[in-house]
Amino acid sequence: MGTIKREYDYGKFIERYMYEHAHTMFVLVAETNDALYKVLYANTLAIDYFSGNVLMSGKHFFREFWKEIEHEINNMDELSKKRTEIEVLVNDELKLFELNLQKNEQEEREPVIFLELCERRDLIVERKNLSELESKYELVIDHNLDPIIAINKKGEILNTNPAIYPAFGYRKKELVNKSILKFIEIDEIERLNSMIIEGFQGESIELAEFNILHKRNIYLPIHVKVLPVLVDGEVAELHLIIRDLSKYYEYNEKFLFLSYRDQLTGLLNRKALKKDFVENRAVAIKNEQKVSIVHIGLDRFKLINDALGYNSADEILKSIGKRLKDICSSMSRVYRNGGDEFIIVLENHSIEKTEEIAQLVLGEFGNPFYFNNQEYFISASIGISIFPDDGENIEKLLRKSEQAMFYVKENGRSHYRFYAKEMKSLISNEVLMESHLRRAIELDEFKVYYQPQVDLKTGYVSSFEALLRWNNRKFGFVSPGQFIKIAEDSGLIHRIGDWVLDQVCKQLRQWEDKNYREVSIAVNISPKQFRMAGFAKSVEGNILKYEIRPSSLEVEITESSLANMQETLSTLKELKKIGVGISVDDFGTGYSSLSYLKQYPIDIIKIDQSFIRDIEFDEKNEAIAKTIINLAHNLGMEVIAEGVEKELQAGILLNANCQKAQGFLYSKALPVEEIVEKYMT
Ligand code: C2E
Ligand code: CA
Ligand code: CA
């Protein structure tokens, strides 16, 4: 009748009109029984905004967005209203929205949720301008093409930038609040940890070779640059700027070649083994085949090392590598596992084929190796583990093949055995420890600690003794009393000794660079190392390499190094000429007498702990200590008392004119960070 129907509600019309023309998105959703949310209504703006993301047609929000909103709804608690901000990736761009939520519980019907969404471009801008620092920081992080991870002191991830996703497959949410260590290979945790410590001391550091876990569960090689972020003069967090090297490697054949090759033998290395195994494993699973890991350890190679020196021994390792390579067919590959170990991975394993390879290898060792026209007979022990029978991953398989190899070594050597459970208990700790020690440098398990030497008169500290610490992933902290002996027996002491010397010189260089006060550091030198031809030259080499003051370095030798007069004297003279200090450790426990010492150019005598221990009760010890001090002074040498634990002992020593003391009374050996904090600044 020309009149407007009564049902038509103007109020609703206006309301709808407003919703349709508002600058805010309005969406009404219902919570259905199956906890899915159905969109009941959305205004034009919302439909347009989400058009590409199937808002309405599927009657759902697009997933990324909905996950965020759902999270907010779930966290609504009792409140029926909520106002918050959410960040969502829309078409790969991070957007910020202001979100108003209103939940209406209806009787006998599912609750209805009313969403009001407003994109806050202004807020993003506003935020960025909050402070100049903050804005710079955001810009640096978010717009950097390299992935960046921000971490705190504990290694927890605080923030990441969008570039992390294309590179490593993680969204920010998957990383934030987790420990960075979760994404790093076990082998590398120590290295990362010490990097974090250094970073928080304000150092910016670069780590060249590192592996990070991609979401697809493979490790990618990366280069990390660590930048400390200072707020009010303190390191608030670290930014790890990451460069994914895998692409680089792909493009750069040569680089690839180097990074997965053992430098000495040119064979593939352990890293390549790990990488390749991912593929070996996949192929084996697909074809229901097995893979064998043939672990070859040279027998008593340390004897060769000792006899020839490790440069020449390296030549022999090269020819061994070559022979092994010649044995390997297309179905097997040979790797150098570091040190005197090689590994052959045999695809599509059968017992027969694996045994055939093992026999071939043993056969090769039946023929001598040549160096400088000399024949050397070397044998090898072989342990074998099988995928998947002995383990699912390469770490486990290597552990077992290694165990089998040790078993062979302990049971006559020069044959092969497949891994069996019983082997485990039969291998002595020492043999196992030696093999771990062999890789300690490579795995970055060593650290040099420093024990201060205190001037008894003034309390002033101007020198330290470098003491090596080994934190192994299997054995934990092993005392040098234990591992130095193994290192000496196995010939590893040369490499380890060189490493310590290098570290100490590097440290001295760093301290000089920082203009810290002048100090000296004493390095323990094992008799074997000291007697090695060219020892003085290698000391000189380090001094020149780091351009340190020669007098800031002191070599600490034991009395047993002093036997063999002629050679000792010439080495000591050489060292003196270079200008390094020379001290005699554990004095009084060996055979040398002071008159004997007169002929050597020695600067410092260290009185052994055993004389200091009861010096306050034991008159004999007191007399010995005093005698040593007096005679040493008469010979123009300085004296350091070791193992001083009590004030009383220090008092006696001071009275006897002993210059310096070292011991728990003052401090145990400490990591470099603490030394810097306590003594250098
Ligand atoms: P050392 O050269 O006689 O070193 C002194 C040892 O006494 C250190 O043990 C030190 O931590 C410990 N010590 C220091 N003050 C006290 C004290 O007040 N009371 C007691 N009871 N002990 C104290 P550490 O670090 O376990 O080293 C043991 C030995 O291992 C060293 O004896 C040294 O012979 C050897 N060593 C350590 N680092 C190296 C190294 O880099 N190269 C070589 N070749 N040998 C090393
Ligand atoms: Ca010492
Ligand atoms: Ca000592």
Side-chain angles (χ1 to χ4, degrees), residues 585-586 608 642:
D585 203 1
D586 304 338
D608 189 65
E642 283 192 297

Side-chain angles (χ1 to χ4, degrees), residues 451 465 468-469 480 484 524 526 585-586 609 643 645 663-664:
Q451 187 178 34
E465 176 176 4
L468 188 55
R469 295 291 175 262
I484 292 288
N524 287 287
S526 135
D585 203 1
D586 304 338
Q609 302 190 7
E645 295 180 351
F664 297 164

Side-chain angles (χ1 to χ4, degrees), residues 25-201:
M25 294 179 262
F26 294 104
V27 184
L28 193 65
V29 287
E31 197 173 347
T32 56
N33 287 338
D34 49 8
L36 285 172
Y37 294 84
K38 203 163 92 188
V39 176
L40 300 174
Y41 165 79
N43 69 350
T44 324
L45 195 67
I47 292 172
D48 286 346
Y49 194 86
F50 290 108
S51 59
N53 295 307
V54 210
L55 169 70
M56 302 312 298
S57 60
K59 298 271 192 294
H60 286 297
F61 265 99
F62 87 99
R63 272 217 347 266
E64 290 304 321
F65 215 120
W66 187 249
K67 268 197 281 178
E68 282 298 336
I69 292 175
E70 196 172 24
H71 175 77
E72 295 298 341
I73 294 174
N74 289 339
N75 286 330
M76 267 175 92
D77 303 319
E78 259 50 43
L79 292 171
S80 58
K81 272 190 186 171
K82 184 170 185 177
R83 192 190 177 92
T84 178
E85 277 163 14
I86 58 173
E87 272 185 342
V88 188
L89 268 178
V90 180
N91 299 333
D92 265 337
E93 209 184 315
L94 197 64
K95 303 221 162 145
L96 180 72
F97 296 89
E98 200 177 294
L99 171 68
N100 276 322
L101 275 171
Q102 194 167 330
K103 195 168 178 175
N104 285 332
E105 304 282 354
Q106 314 174 65
E107 272 173 33
E108 295 181 51
R109 287 185 63 185
E110 304 85 12
V112 174
I113 298 149
F114 184 73
L115 310 169
E116 197 182 330
L117 273 166
C118 184
E119 195 187 338
R120 294 300 303 267
R121 270 177 252 245
D122 53 338
L123 252 187
I124 290 187
V125 175
E126 199 180 299
R127 289 250 169 100
K128 284 193 176 145
N129 289 334
L130 253 187
S131 75
E132 210 180 327
L133 179 77
E134 213 171 31
S135 78
K136 259 192 204 150
Y137 163 97
E138 293 248 324
L139 281 170
V140 167
I141 284 228
D142 283 353
H143 295 275
N144 207 305
L145 295 177
D146 284 325
I148 297 181
I149 298 180
I151 57 169
N152 65 13
K153 235 177 189 152
K154 286 191 256 167
E156 288 160 354
I157 299 173
L158 304 171
N159 195 5
T160 68
N161 66 349
I164 204 95
Y165 178 68
F168 304 111
Y170 302 101
R171 296 288 186 196
K172 181 172 169 178
K173 277 179 289 180
E174 297 173 275
L175 295 175
V176 168
N177 289 335
K178 296 217 172 96
S179 166
I180 180 92
L181 301 179
K182 277 198 170 157
F183 303 93
I184 295 291
E185 275 195 296
I186 296 183
D187 288 359
E188 292 177 339
I189 286 183
E190 261 300 300
R191 203 146 68 93
L192 188 68
N193 266 333
S194 52
M195 179 208 79
I196 294 174
I197 293 173
E198 274 183 58
F200 272 96
Q201 283 164 358

Side-chain angles (χ1 to χ4, degrees), residues 464-605:
F464 303 92
E465 176 176 4
L467 292 161
L468 188 55
R469 295 291 175 262
W470 181 31
N471 186 5
N472 173 257
R473 66 205 145 107
K474 177 174 163 58
F475 296 103
F477 273 101
V478 186
S479 93
Q482 216 178 345
F483 73 78
I484 292 288
K485 190 180 168 303
I486 297 176
E488 284 176 339
D489 291 348
S490 60
L492 288 167
I493 193 68
H494 300 295
R495 275 171 208 244
I496 296 176
D498 283 354
W499 183 85
V500 174
L501 203 57
D502 183 85
Q503 292 290 306
V504 167
C505 293
K506 190 152 82 186
Q507 194 59 66
L508 284 165
R509 173 76 262 149
Q510 275 185 15
W511 286 351
E512 267 189 50
D513 283 345
K514 292 192 173 161
N515 273 330
Y516 290 160
R517 58 205 178 77
E518 278 190 9
V519 292
S520 61
I521 300 179
V523 180
N524 287 287
I525 307 293
S526 135
K528 271 198 172 174
Q529 203 185 343
F530 181 79
R531 281 193 227 115
M532 182 94 172
F535 170 69
K537 280 269 162 307
S538 77
V539 171
E540 187 174 26
N542 272 302
I543 289 175
L544 294 174
K545 175 174 167 197
Y546 292 106
E547 299 179 23
I548 53 169
R549 284 177 300 114
S551 62
S552 60
L553 187 69
E554 194 183 292
V555 295
E556 200 164 305
I557 53 182
T558 56
E559 286 176 84
S560 51
S561 294
L562 298 177
N564 188 352
M565 195 68 190
Q566 236 14 62
E567 278 177 30
T568 307
L569 191 59
S570 72
T571 306
L572 289 178
K573 278 185 174 161
E574 253 185 284
L575 289 169
K576 221 42 276 159
K577 216 165 122 198
I578 296 164
V580 298
I582 298 167
S583 61
V584 176
D585 203 1
D586 304 338
F587 191 83
T589 59
Y591 303 104
S592 53
S593 66
L594 278 172
S595 61
Y596 196 84
L597 284 181
K598 201 164 62 180
Q599 316 178 39
Y600 292 128
I602 285 162
D603 305 297
I604 298 171
I605 295 287

Side-chain angles (χ1 to χ4, degrees), residues 252-361:
N252 195 332
E253 282 278 307
K254 188 160 160 257
F255 215 91
L256 180 73
F257 183 83
L258 289 179
S259 126
Y260 290 114
R261 292 282 161 175
D262 170 52
Q263 305 286 300
L264 175 68
T265 59
L267 294 176
L268 292 160
N269 60 16
R270 193 176 161 90
K271 190 166 155 191
L273 170 69
K274 287 187 176 172
K275 178 178 140 290
D276 291 352
F277 189 76
V278 176
E279 208 170 294
N280 297 142
R281 186 176 179 273
V283 171
I285 291 173
K286 188 166 149 241
N287 303 333
E288 292 186 17
Q289 294 168 342
K290 298 187 174 189
V291 181
S292 39
I293 311 289
V294 180
H295 205 125
I296 305 161
L298 307 180
D299 295 330
R300 299 194 181 97
F301 195 68
K302 65 180 180 215
L303 296 182
I304 302 268
N305 251 329
D306 287 352
L308 299 179
Y310 57 86
N311 282 331
S312 314
D314 278 354
E315 292 304 314
I316 294 189
L317 283 174
K318 272 193 214 169
S319 41
I320 292 174
K322 189 170 174 310
R323 280 198 205 172
L324 291 176
K325 196 160 181 215
D326 291 343
I327 293 176
C328 288
S329 63
S330 61
M331 294 307 275
S332 58
R333 252 184 184 172
V334 59
Y335 302 83
R336 178 156 182 234
N337 193 34
D340 55 2
E341 287 178 19
F342 297 85
I343 284 170
I344 295 177
V345 175
L346 186 65
E347 282 188 272
N348 193 9
H349 145 100
S350 69
I351 300 271
E352 298 73 40
K353 270 200 292 182
T354 305
E355 289 191 318
E356 195 184 313
I357 283 266
Q359 292 288 9
L360 276 174
V361 172

Side-chain angles (χ1 to χ4, degrees), residues 399 403 424 429 432 436 445 471-476:
R399 260 202 308 281
Q403 267 173 23
K424 199 171 166 186
N429 249 2
L432 206 59
H436 279 264
E445 293 181 335
N471 186 5
N472 173 257
R473 66 205 145 107
K474 177 174 163 58
F475 296 103

